[in-house]
Each structure stands twice: as C-alpha cells, then as structure tokens.
C-alpha cells in the first residue's frame, strides 16, 4: 500500500505592479499569523539568500541599461531556483507557511507580457526554477497604472532599473496579470488595491484562514 504523502505547508504569493501595496498587505498578514502562533516565513523576490541577493543587485542596478530580456528572465529564474531549494522547500516541508512577495508569476507578467518573451516557453523555465512548486494561493493587488505611479511619487521612492520602464510596459504587465488570474481562478484572488488596506486585509485573512484550516485538517487525517 502506498504511504500517504505528507502534505507540505501552504505557499502563499502576492503579486502586483510596483506601488500596488503588496508590502503593506504582507505586513498585515504577518501580524495576523503571529497573533495566531503560526510559524511562517516571508521571502522577497528576487532575493532571500546571499546568492539570490547578489543576483537582485545585478537585476535592479540602473547601470545595467543594456540587459537583454532573455538574460533578465534567466537571472530572475536563477535567483528563484536558489531561494526555492535553499529556503522555500525546506520550510514548507517543516510545516512553515511561506509567503512570497512575488514568485514565478512576476516573470510571466514582467518578462513574458511586459517584455514580450514567449509565455509558453516560460512555463518550462518556471517548472525547473521552482522544482515544480506551485503556490496554493496567489493574491493579486490590482491597481491602475496612474494610481500606482502617483503612489510611488508620493512615497518619494527612487526608481530602480525595472521601475524605470515606460508606462506602456506596466500596462502590459497589468494586462498579463489579469490574464493569468482569469486562466487559473481557483488559485488567484484579485483584490482592488484602491480600497483601504484593512478592507483588503480582511479578504486576504479570510482566504488564508480557509487554506490553513484545510491544511491542518489534512494533517490530522494522516
Ligand atoms: P522590488 O524592489 O522588490 O519591487 P516591488 O517592491 O515592487 O516588488 O523589485 C523587484 C522588481 O523586479 C519589480 O519591478 C518587479 C521586477 N520583477 C520582474 O520583472 N520579474 C520577476 O520575476 C520578479 C520576481 C520581479
């Protein structure tokens, strides 16, 4: 008889264009998890390990103006492979909830829809770079490009290499995200990022609560 496979802890990802409020929602989510004594870990992509952080520096450095789109895609994927094997998979196997500030959907949205790389080809790269790891739940903070840019200006943030792209690029990225969410509605939750943060957080925590309940139910059955 087959041994029942031990279910790994949930992997939750947040996606959205720059300025959509992911950081605020992840902060609210972590205090929610903390209050309930859940073990969790937050990963920011690209990054999360010393090797991935070095790749991040390469990717975001404004000096690297001439970076080819395929080179860019492989660098994001390389950083992901490292953080996946070094941090994400061991944590999930240990029952730790992992929250990723971006994962492979960012590459499909930015390098696929944004830069125009073939989205079908990217699927194979993602499978390799993530060791076939799929998020259980993905929250997409949807915001108009105008609002996102206004938020960035108000926050007085200096733009990095990726953020220096033209408005049309971000329009394509947003369209790409919406397309991805439409294709996989059971995994994606689209959130209106123009709503007050606590309203968005209420939807996020309700969904997360369901996910964690299902996970613990599965564990107790085994
Ligand atoms: P970061 O400062 O982490 O931005 P944010 O706070 O918006 O997440 O920079 C990451 C940038 O890299 C951001 O502009 C999105 C982009 N990106 C890609 O283009 N492809 C990817 O696969 C990932 C993970 C990020």
């Amino acid at each position: 008889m087959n041994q029942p496979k031990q279910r790994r802890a949930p992997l939750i990802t947040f996606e959205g264009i720059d300025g959509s409020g992911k950081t605020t929602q992840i902060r609210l989510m972590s205090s929610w998890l903390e209050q309930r004594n859940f073990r969790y870990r937050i990963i920011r992509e690209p990054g999360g390990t010393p090797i991935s952080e070095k790749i991040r520096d390469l990717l975001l450095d404004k000096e690297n103006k001439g970076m080819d789109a395929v080179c860019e895609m492989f660098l994001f994927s390389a950083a992901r492979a490292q953080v996946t094997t070094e941090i994400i998979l061991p944590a999930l196997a240990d029952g730790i909830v992992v929250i990723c500030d971006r994962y492979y959907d960012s590459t499909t949205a930015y390098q696929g829809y944004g830069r125009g790389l073939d989205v079908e080809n990217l699927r194979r790269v993602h499978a390799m770079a993530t060791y076939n790891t799929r998020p259980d739940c993905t929250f997409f903070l949807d915001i108009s490009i105008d609002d996102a840019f206004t938020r960035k200006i108000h926050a007085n943030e200096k733009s990095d290499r990726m953020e220096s792209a033209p408005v049309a690029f971000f329009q394509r990225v947003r369209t790409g995200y919406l397309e991805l969410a439409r294709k996989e509605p059971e995994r994606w939750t689209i959130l209106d990022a123009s709503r007050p943060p606590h309203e968005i957080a209420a939807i996020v925590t309700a969904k997360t609560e369901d996910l964690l309940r299902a996970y613990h139910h599965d564990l107790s059955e085994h």
Side-chain angles (χ1 to χ4, degrees):
M1 212 172 80
N2 285 342
Q3 279 291 100
K5 202 170 147 202
Q6 181 73 31
R7 198 152 146 18
R8 63 160 175 79
L11 170 62
I12 301 169
T13 60
F14 282 82
E15 296 286 350
I17 59 167
D18 319 68
S20 59
K22 284 185 287 100
T23 313
T24 304
Q25 285 307 317
I26 290 171
R27 195 165 31 77
L28 293 171
M29 164 95 129
S30 49
S31 42
W32 184 86
L33 287 166
E34 217 144 274
Q35 280 162 15
R36 282 155 190 80
N37 290 322
F38 281 112
R39 292 187 306 149
Y40 69 94
R41 173 121 197 200
I42 296 171
I43 302 290
R44 172 194 66 164
E45 268 223 34
T49 74
I51 294 173
S52 308
E53 289 292 332
K54 282 189 183 163
I55 301 175
R56 177 187 175 88
D57 291 343
L58 262 178
L59 278 163
L60 301 185
D61 187 350
K62 275 182 124 170
E63 293 285 302
N64 293 333
K65 281 194 189 68
M67 190 180 289
D68 169 66
V70 177
C71 169
E72 180 181 281
M73 180 275 291
F74 276 123
L75 286 176
F76 278 115
S77 303
R80 180 165 309 127
Q82 190 65 36
V83 76
T84 299
T85 40
E86 196 176 322
I87 310 280
I88 299 177
L89 291 177
L92 293 176
D94 194 22
I96 297 171
V97 178
V98 176
I99 301 157
C100 281
D101 185 345
R102 303 189 179 283
Y103 203 42
Y104 62 79
D105 296 306
S106 281
T107 305
T108 309
Y110 281 75
Q111 282 64 54
Y113 290 89
R115 300 271 193 240
L117 299 185
D118 186 274
V119 169
E120 282 307 311
N121 281 342
L122 292 183
R123 276 183 214 278
R124 269 174 257 154
V125 176
H126 297 338
M128 277 187 85
T130 64
Y131 295 83
N132 295 312
T133 311
R134 278 183 70 227
D136 298 280
C137 174
T138 298
F139 294 108
F140 171 50
L141 286 145
D142 187 35
I143 190 169
S144 74
I145 311 301
D146 279 355
D147 284 357
F149 274 52
T150 310
R151 281 190 189 182
K152 280 272 167 189
I153 293 160
H154 282 305
N156 214 1
E157 284 182 32
K158 276 215 287 203
S159 58
D160 57 38
R161 192 184 62 84
M162 291 304 297
E163 289 163 352
S164 310
V167 172
F169 171 80
F170 290 100
Q171 304 276 19
R172 292 195 296 276
V173 173
R174 182 187 183 198
T175 307
Y177 271 130
L178 289 169
E179 180 78 9
L180 289 174
R182 194 184 55 75
K183 283 188 187 156
E184 252 187 302
E186 71 295 343
R187 172 162 73 91
W188 288 73
T189 302
I190 303 177
L191 301 158
D192 178 354
S194 66
R195 305 298 306 160
H198 68 272
E199 258 182 45
I200 302 173
I203 303 171
V204 169
T205 49
K207 192 98 195 161
T208 305
E209 201 157 27
D210 287 349
L211 197 65
L212 291 171
R213 195 175 298 127
Y215 169 62
H216 285 108
H217 176 75
D218 277 7
L219 281 187
S220 61
E221 297 244 300
H222 282 162

